[in-house]
């Protein structure tokens, strides 16, 4: 299977006043196309920072990140924006639907941005199938405030995958949901992965969530401490050379 | 899609949207009504002066086109020399006075016979011409505005006058007394503030003006058909400065309000901006969105302002019939441009600030 995402020697340092916080301390990671992966670890272990770097939301302090064949660590803001627009779909713990827009408009705005300002009619069949899968077709006219938490998260997922991104990144997607809705949402991720071969990376501190995934990567103190990847790699790493240190 | 987002954003914050709209509307009203009032009064005065029906206005040296501001006079005997020029049909001397007890009114002291010869006479609504020094003829607008009719007494320049007649407006002033009385009141016996000159052939105006200028060097000689235009142009630098000041203040109001509105908008919507950035929206997209929202507020506010200006103008003119507010397409266009300009200037910093926000920090904003 094709390597979709790869990091080498990934480091991220935040500066708060005179204090430097090393959130990522050399992360080496490879994720294949079509995988359903959970990145798990306690709060503060750097998993959200990793998600932001993998999602081209922020640049690493050092190290390399290759997303779908493109090395992003040296990219400027415009190029990172393009990567987010073309390759990434985000799902957040707090849903992050635009509150003034209807659920339909929330999806439309993602497609509009993806179409670079042009209203897109493409992907309609794909979107229909997604909406059917998520069972939210009949609530498209509602505003986020008129939806339950589970419904909001399902719309957030629909928005994230509406443009068929290479990678779906979900940061604590069940963190604001009750157990019943959590299960529904997690099943949706699994269905998306199975049915559409959508690459999904779930970031969580919840061990129960890991049971829904094929692969579990464990993090602690900014480094990967465990990976139950059972499939052998049939290609060499593109980032075989060690990354420069900070 | 941007339109949908902008409308939804504006609807979601109705109080701020309303205040912003009203502030922009106020900016436009301030421009249109104040400019309309100043230019309206000048234009109406100009047209009224042109309405005398003369071809040439003659004033003593160093006189102002604003007749109310002129206190220079010239001997009436000059009329005899002017009559010797070819093509002069009629000349009427006028002594102007200013009544400032209730507003600013020009009173014409006239010679009825020669004034009629130049202006083809008054159109009478009521009453008759003055027979006595303490009688005054008023025009219909003044009568309506002051609620006076024939037989009533009005006080002008500390003198009591009895209204003896009401005439159709449009013949120079709104109040007419005898020239002799006007001369006595101003202490300018045998003198006049201006001459209205009627030619036998109106096409000879330029030639006649040249001849008068040769005869009376340094005197103000202007064709009356250009009076209004001259009043509104460079002859009134103080008015230009006043209008510029009003426009500048209005623009400042607009800029500050839009700045405040857009600044609070982007602060309130930091998280939304983060969401858009996470979806792949570029900085340009964010800047454009803020600009478009501000432009929408400014254009809608400008429309409200234009409508309100016409309404306010009607109310003012109904309450004060002697006032004229001239709202021209030219100034409407300028007011809209100023409103949009204030939107652009006011939203420049907020939009750039919004675009510069770090997506991760913006998403973490509570």
């Amino acid at each position: 299977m094709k390597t979709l995402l790869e990091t080498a020697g990934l480091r991220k340092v935040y500066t708060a006043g005179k204090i430097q916080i090393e959130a990522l301390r050399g992360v080496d990671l490879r994720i294949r196309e079509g995988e359903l992966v959970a990145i798990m670890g306690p709060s503060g272990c750097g998993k959200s920072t990793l998600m932001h770097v993998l999602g081209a939301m922020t640049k690493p302090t050092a190290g390399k990140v290759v997303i779908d064949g493109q090395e992003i660590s040296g990219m400027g803001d415009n190029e990172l924006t393009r990567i987010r627009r073309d390759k990434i779909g985000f799902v957040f713990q707090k849903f992050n639907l635009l509150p003034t827009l209807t659920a339909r408009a929330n999806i439309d705005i993602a497609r509009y941005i993806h179409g670079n300002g042009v209203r897109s009619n493409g992907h309609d069949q794909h979107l229909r199938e997604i909406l059917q899968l998520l069972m939210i077709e009949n609530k498209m006219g509602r505003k986020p405030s008129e939806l339950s938490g589970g419904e909001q998260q399902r719309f957030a997922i629909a928005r994230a995958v509406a443009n068929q991104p290479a990678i779906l990144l979900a940061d604590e997607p069940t963190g604001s949901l009750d157990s019943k809705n959590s299960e529904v949402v997690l099943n949706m991720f699994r269905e998306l992965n199975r049915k559409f071969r959508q690459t999904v990376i779930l970031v969580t501190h919840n061990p129960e969530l890991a049971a829904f995934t094929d692969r579990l990567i464990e993090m602690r103190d900014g480094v990967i401490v465990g990976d139950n990847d059972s499939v052998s790699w049939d290609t060499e790493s593109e980032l075989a050379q060690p990354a420069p240190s900070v | 899609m941007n339109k949908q987002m902008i409308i939804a954003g504006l609807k979601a914050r109705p109080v701020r949207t309303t205040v912003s709209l009203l502030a922009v509307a106020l900016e436009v009203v301030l421009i249109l009504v104040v400019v309309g009032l100043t230019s309206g009064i000048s234009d109406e005065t100009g047209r009224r002066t042109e309405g005398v029906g003369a071809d040439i206005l003659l004033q003593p040296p160093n006189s102002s086109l604003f007749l109310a501001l002129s206190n220079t006079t010239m001997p009436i005997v000059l009329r005899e020399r002017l009559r010797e020029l070819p093509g002069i049909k009629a000349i009427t001397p006028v002594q102007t006075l200013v009544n400032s007890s209730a507003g600013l009114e020009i009173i014409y002291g006239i010679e009825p016979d020669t004034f009629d010869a130049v202006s083809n006479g008054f159109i009478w609504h009521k009453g008759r011409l003055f027979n006595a020094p303490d009688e005054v003829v008023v025009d219909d607008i003044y009568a309506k505005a002051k609620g006076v009719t024939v037989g009533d007494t009005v006080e002008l320049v500390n003198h009591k006058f009895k209204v003896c007649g009401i005439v159709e407006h449009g013949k120079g002033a709104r109040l007419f007394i005898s020239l002799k009385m006007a001369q006595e009141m101003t202490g300018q016996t045998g003198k006049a503030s201006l001459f209205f000159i009627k030619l036998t052939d109106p096409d000879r105006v330029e030639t006649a003006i040249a001849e008068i200028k040769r005869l009376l060097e340094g005197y103000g000689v202007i064709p009356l058909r250009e009076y209004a235009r001259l009043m509104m142009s460079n002859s009134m630098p103080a008015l230009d400065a006043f209008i510029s000041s009003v426009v500048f203040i209005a623009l400042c109001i607009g800029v500050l309000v839009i700045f405040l509105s857009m600044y609070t908008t982007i602060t309130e919507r930091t998280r939304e901006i983060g969401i858009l950035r996470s979806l792949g929206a570029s900085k340009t997209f964010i800047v454009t969105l803020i600009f478009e929202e501000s432009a929408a507020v400014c254009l809608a506010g400008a429309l409200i302002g234009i409508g309100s200006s016409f309404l306010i103008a009607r109310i003012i003119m109904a309450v004060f019939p002697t006032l004229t507010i001239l709202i021209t397409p030219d100034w409407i266009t300028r007011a809209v441009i100023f409103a949009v300009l204030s939107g652009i200037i006011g939203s420049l910093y907020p939009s750039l600030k919004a675009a510069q926000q770090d997506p991760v920090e913006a998403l973490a904003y509570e």
Side-chain angles (χ1 to χ4, degrees):
Chain A
M1 277 191 288
K2 177 186 164 190
T3 303
L4 189 61
L5 199 151
E6 185 169 7
T7 71
L10 198 62
R11 301 170 86 95
K12 180 70 183 177
V13 179
Y14 289 110
T15 305
K18 290 179 180 174
I19 303 166
Q20 288 201 325
I21 301 158
E22 199 170 8
L24 299 177
R25 298 189 297 128
V27 173
D28 299 313
L29 178 69
R30 288 177 82 185
I31 290 171
R32 301 173 190 87
E33 188 174 32
E35 274 193 307
L36 174 57
V37 182
I39 298 176
M40 206 176 77
S43 293
C45 72
K47 56 188 187 303
S48 288
T49 302
L50 178 62
M51 193 197 83
H52 291 144
V53 175
L54 298 182
M57 292 273 273
T58 187
K59 288 205 283 187
T61 309
K64 290 186 176 179
V65 185
V66 176
I67 298 174
D68 202 12
Q70 294 186 62
E71 215 281 286
I72 68 160
S73 48
M75 286 183 173
D77 183 77
N78 287 343
E79 289 166 301
L80 288 176
T81 300
R82 184 178 50 76
I83 291 287
R84 285 200 299 276
R85 192 182 65 213
D86 296 343
K87 308 278 183 194
I88 311 290
F90 283 104
V91 176
F92 302 96
Q93 179 180 348
K94 291 182 179 171
F95 324 131
N96 280 347
L97 293 173
L98 293 164
T100 56
L101 299 180
T102 61
R104 181 193 305 279
N106 264 280
I107 295 170
D108 284 348
I109 189 75
R111 301 175 78 201
Y112 179 74
I113 290 168
H114 183 75
N116 216 1
V118 179
R119 202 180 266 273
S120 166
N121 290 320
H123 302 172
D124 277 353
Q125 181 57 34
H126 171 74
L127 184 60
R128 260 196 299 276
E129 288 176 31
I130 295 290
L131 295 174
Q132 273 172 9
L133 175 71
L134 297 170
M135 296 179 291
I136 47 175
E137 304 151 281
N138 57 347
K139 293 182 177 172
M140 295 282 276
R142 294 193 189 176
K143 287 197 172 171
S145 58
E146 297 161 347
L147 297 166
S148 70
E151 287 166 341
Q152 286 189 60
Q153 195 59 302
R154 279 184 272 163
F155 272 111
I157 295 168
R159 181 180 67 182
V161 297
N163 297 315
Q164 296 178 301
I167 305 159
L168 176 61
L169 290 167
D171 186 9
E172 302 283 7
T174 59
S176 300
L177 301 178
D178 58 30
S179 56
K180 190 182 163 198
N181 271 309
S182 293
E183 194 175 331
V184 171
V185 165
L186 289 171
N187 278 322
M188 301 288 175
F189 281 118
R190 196 155 56 188
E191 282 298 302
L192 283 169
N193 176 254
R194 300 275 187 272
K195 196 167 178 183
F196 300 104
R197 287 196 48 75
Q198 176 68 59
T199 308
V200 182
I201 301 173
L202 304 176
V203 173
T204 183
H205 67 276
N206 182 359
E208 288 176 21
L209 192 147
F212 284 84
T213 61
D214 305 325
R215 181 179 165 196
L216 176 64
I217 296 168
E218 288 182 82
M219 279 189 78
R220 190 148 306 172
D221 300 329
V223 291
I224 290 173
V225 294
D227 186 347
N228 68 351
D229 187 14
S230 57
V231 183
S232 62
W233 291 90
D234 49 16
T235 54
E236 282 297 311
S237 165
E238 290 180 28
L239 304 175
Q241 296 299 317
S245 59
V246 183
Chain B
M1 197 66 228
N2 282 24
K3 196 170 102 183
Q4 199 177 345
M5 281 196 73
I6 289 163
I7 292 169
L10 294 175
K11 279 167 74 178
R13 295 159 184 88
V15 175
R16 203 196 49 229
T17 302
T18 307
V19 170
S20 303
L21 286 173
L22 290 178
V24 175
L26 175 69
E27 177 188 357
V28 171
V29 166
L30 196 60
I31 292 172
L32 290 182
V33 172
V34 174
V35 171
L37 198 58
T38 50
S39 56
I41 290 169
S42 302
D43 181 77
E44 198 272 338
T45 305
R47 277 189 289 110
R48 202 152 21 99
T49 307
E50 286 179 19
V52 170
D55 296 307
I56 293 169
L57 173 71
L58 175 70
Q59 291 180 284
N62 305 316
S63 296
S64 168
L65 276 174
F66 268 119
L67 303 183
L69 301 179
S70 271
N71 55 9
T72 52
T73 55
M74 56 190 162
I76 288 181
V77 290
L78 283 178
R79 174 164 54 173
E80 305 313 319
R81 292 172 65 189
L82 289 166
R83 274 181 180 149
E84 290 168 9
L85 294 172
I88 303 289
K89 186 178 176 184
I91 302 171
T92 186
V94 173
Q95 178 61 41
T96 59
L97 291 89
V98 179
N99 177 48
S100 57
S101 57
L104 198 68
E105 287 291 348
I106 296 180
I107 306 167
Y108 273 13
I110 58 168
E111 265 181 5
D113 291 348
T114 54
F115 193 80
D116 279 0
V118 169
S119 69
N120 294 326
F122 290 116
I123 298 167
W124 290 91
H125 284 215
K126 233 179 203 182
R128 55 165 176 77
L129 195 63
F130 40 77
N131 287 333
D134 62 348
E135 287 185 337
V136 62
V137 171
V138 302
D139 79 358
D140 54 338
I141 292 176
Y142 181 89
K144 187 183 166 195
K146 305 292 179 186
V148 295
T149 188
V150 173
D152 289 347
T153 300
V154 292
E155 188 168 329
L156 304 169
V157 201
N158 300 322
H159 285 69
K160 289 197 187 308
F161 285 88
K162 189 177 164 190
V163 177
C164 60
I166 297 170
V167 295
E168 178 78 20
H169 62 276
K171 295 281 185 190
R174 298 201 187 283
L175 300 153
F176 302 89
I177 59 175
S178 72
L179 177 62
K180 195 160 176 276
M181 181 63 181
Q183 288 169 335
E184 279 177 21
M185 287 170 72
T186 53
Q188 300 286 340
T189 307
K191 293 183 175 176
S193 311
L194 56 96
F195 288 168
F196 286 116
I197 301 168
K198 183 96 173 166
L199 303 176
T200 48
D201 179 6
D203 293 337
R204 279 195 73 254
V205 168
E206 297 307 321
T207 313
I209 284 175
E211 287 166 352
I212 294 169
K213 279 185 173 172
R214 265 199 302 274
L215 182 70
L216 301 171
E217 204 173 320
Y219 279 63
V221 194
I222 58 163
L224 210 62
R225 62 171 178 265
E226 291 182 24
Y227 182 80
R229 184 183 62 76
L230 288 169
M231 272 191 81
M232 294 300 296
S233 63
N234 296 335
S235 57
M236 291 157 55
L239 189 62
D240 282 349
F242 172 71
I243 289 172
S244 298
S245 303
V246 169
V247 169
F248 179 73
I249 291 166
L251 193 63
C252 287
I253 292 172
V255 168
L256 289 174
V257 169
I258 293 296
F259 174 82
L260 198 62
S261 170
M262 287 300 145
Y263 193 81
T264 53
T265 295
I266 63 134
T267 306
E268 281 176 19
R269 289 156 72 177
T270 299
R271 198 181 181 87
E272 288 179 40
I273 291 162
I275 296 167
L276 290 171
R277 296 281 282 143
S278 76
L279 293 173
S282 63
K283 288 181 178 178
T284 311
F285 182 93
I286 303 293
V287 169
T288 307
L289 195 66
I290 306 272
F291 267 133
E292 285 180 352
E293 182 167 324
S294 122
V297 168
C298 289
L299 283 174
L303 286 177
I304 295 169
I306 291 165
S308 304
S309 299
F310 278 105
L311 186 68
I312 290 167
R314 288 192 75 159
I315 292 169
I316 290 175
M317 288 193 286
V319 177
F320 305 102
T322 55
L323 292 180
T324 302
I325 298 176
L326 190 67
I327 298 174
T328 61
D330 175 39
W331 270 102
I332 290 172
T333 309
R334 286 191 213 185
V336 172
I337 290 170
F338 286 131
V340 173
L341 196 63
S342 61
I344 291 169
I345 297 169
S347 59
L348 190 63
Y349 175 73
S351 63
L352 292 176
K353 188 173 184 285
Q356 292 300 330
Q357 278 175 351
D358 180 81
V360 176
E361 287 176 16
L363 280 169
Y365 186 84
E366 293 292 342

